[in-house]
Amino acid sequence: MRVLAGGQGFEVSTEGQTLSAGAVGEPVRVRMPNGRIATGQVVDAGTVRLAL
């Protein structure tokens, strides 16, 4: 799963593992490479966007 995060003028991405299923627009929990758990919104079948 690709995980995106960004702000005005920048965007970063990394890989993560979803911990639950979700449809486009729904919130899902994602385990980041460092083990941290974050919650983001499903953008499409392979992408989650985190709010900063």
Side-chain angles (χ1 to χ4, degrees), residues 2-25:
R2 189 170 90 159
V3 180
L4 302 174
Q8 186 152 348
F10 76 97
E11 184 170 84
V12 295
S13 68
T14 188
E15 295 296 314
Q17 178 182 10
T18 55
L19 301 178
S20 59
V24 172

Side-chain angles (χ1 to χ4, degrees), residues 1 18 20-28 40-49:
M1 176 68 59
T18 55
S20 59
V24 172
E26 292 184 337
V28 292
Q41 185 175 37
V42 178
V43 175
D44 60 36
T47 310
V48 171
R49 181 173 299 279

